[in-house]
Amino acid sequence: MAKIPTIAAAVPAVVKATPETLLKKRKAAEKNAAARIAADKARRDANKKKRVVIFKRAEQYVREYRDAEREEVRQKRIARQAGNFHVSAQPKLAFVIRIKGINKISPKPRKVLQLLRLLQINNGVFLRLTKATTEMLKLVEPYIAYGTPNLKTVRELIYKRGYGKINGQRIPLSDNAIVEKSLGTNGIICVEDLIHEIYTVGPNFKKANNFLWPFKLSSPTGSFHKRKFRHFIEGGDFGNREEFINELVRKMN
């Protein structure tokens, strides 16, 4: 007896066509994913090459600092053997800290403090020492403590309390990309480049220093001297303290 076909068997199955918009969306998503993967790979390769450059520069800076220190020792030794004294070159860099608030400051020193970007107590900035800036420091000497920072001080300040000025905002220097974005056109692509430019007072010192936000330091460990508004050489705190500024920065950093 022949089998009678059912209605379901007689009607062929209808295959639903995928909408064209969905196909386009899938194609675009695949294209974007491939582009994203390619961009990530290119960025990783670029970062790898950049890290090699940064390490080479850091090694070069270490050799440069070491050679300068050894040359200074050699010059002193030669002078001592000849029965003379070796006089080191005049410092080109100063670190300036404001130690007085806003009360009872006459207009001229107030304006100089604004030009130095020392707007708050315990603010600190790097400064290139020239005839003009030295005269400015003399005008505001009763309100500031300043001196010649060493390499360790410069490095610790920038790594620990370094902030950059980007579009008027205070951004922490947590990545070399932040430095490169603002100063890359001047050959400064990492924090070590920034430290070298500041410490050696290089040709792009002004741009590098303006990029750095004024350092917000803490009150010194153990506080200032009892009479801090006496000169440093009189047992107070204000004025030029030369290399002893490093000790004060350690207490405030």
Side-chain angles (χ1 to χ4, degrees):
M1 185 176 177
K3 189 176 180 181
I4 300 172
T6 61
I7 297 175
V11 178
V14 177
V15 178
K16 292 185 178 180
T18 307
E20 187 178 353
T21 54
L22 186 58
L23 290 174
K24 286 182 178 179
K25 194 177 292 185
R26 285 178 185 171
K27 191 175 181 180
E30 291 172 359
K31 186 178 179 181
N32 291 338
R36 191 162 53 249
I37 291 170
D40 288 344
K41 186 177 183 302
R43 187 171 64 253
R44 283 196 300 271
D45 293 342
N47 287 341
K48 188 175 180 180
K49 292 178 181 178
K50 202 175 293 179
R51 279 198 300 273
V52 173
V53 174
I54 289 171
F55 284 132
K56 285 183 178 179
R57 286 193 182 186
E59 290 174 355
Q60 176 190 341
Y61 295 151
V62 169
R63 285 195 301 271
E64 182 181 333
Y65 300 143
R66 190 186 299 125
D67 291 346
E69 189 175 345
R70 287 175 177 172
E71 179 65 18
E72 182 78 10
V73 172
R74 190 181 72 84
Q75 293 288 350
K76 289 181 179 179
R77 186 180 297 120
I78 292 173
R80 189 168 57 250
Q81 289 172 353
N84 296 323
F85 294 97
H86 172 68
V87 180
S88 301
Q90 290 294 319
K92 298 183 291 183
L93 177 68
F95 187 68
V96 188
I97 304 171
R98 179 169 178 168
I99 63 171
K100 182 174 171 59
I102 61 174
N103 293 334
K104 298 181 181 179
I105 299 181
S106 57
K108 196 167 186 179
R110 187 189 298 268
K111 182 62 178 177
V112 173
L113 289 171
Q114 289 177 359
L115 292 175
L116 295 176
R117 302 189 298 159
L118 297 172
L119 305 180
Q120 296 174 323
I121 191 170
N122 293 342
N123 272 12
V125 293
F126 292 110
L127 187 68
R128 187 205 303 261
L129 286 177
T130 62
K131 171 84 170 146
T133 54
T134 304
E135 293 300 319
M136 291 171 70
L137 291 177
K138 288 180 182 177
L139 283 172
V140 295
E141 196 170 55
Y143 315 111
I144 60 172
Y146 66 98
T148 308
N150 56 25
L151 177 61
K152 183 180 179 183
T153 297
V154 176
R155 177 174 279 122
E156 286 180 352
L157 280 169
I158 292 178
Y159 271 117
K160 185 174 180 180
R161 294 188 183 265
Y163 285 79
K165 182 167 57 179
I166 300 175
N167 298 326
Q169 293 183 321
R170 183 171 179 260
I171 306 297
L173 301 180
S174 56
D175 191 355
N176 288 328
I178 297 171
V179 178
E180 184 180 11
K181 185 178 179 181
S182 298
L183 301 172
T185 54
N186 301 306
I188 301 173
I189 62 172
C190 62
V191 177
E192 281 298 327
D193 287 344
L194 182 61
I195 293 170
H196 179 264
E197 192 70 23
I198 293 293
Y199 180 66
T200 59
V201 191
N204 297 308
F205 174 84
K206 184 176 180 181
K207 292 181 179 178
N209 195 33
N210 286 338
F211 166 72
L212 285 173
W213 199 279
F215 296 93
K216 294 177 180 287
L217 303 176
S218 305
S219 294
T221 306
S223 76
F224 285 106
H225 289 97
K226 192 172 182 180
R227 301 297 299 274
K228 78 173 182 178
F229 296 121
R230 285 184 179 175
H231 199 284
F232 178 69
I233 59 176
E234 297 175 345
D237 281 301
F238 81 74
N240 186 6
R241 53 177 67 203
E242 298 179 354
E243 71 275 4
F244 293 104
I245 191 69
N246 299 299
E247 185 181 342
L248 179 62
V249 172
R250 301 277 186 286
K251 293 179 179 180
M252 300 180 73
N253 195 2

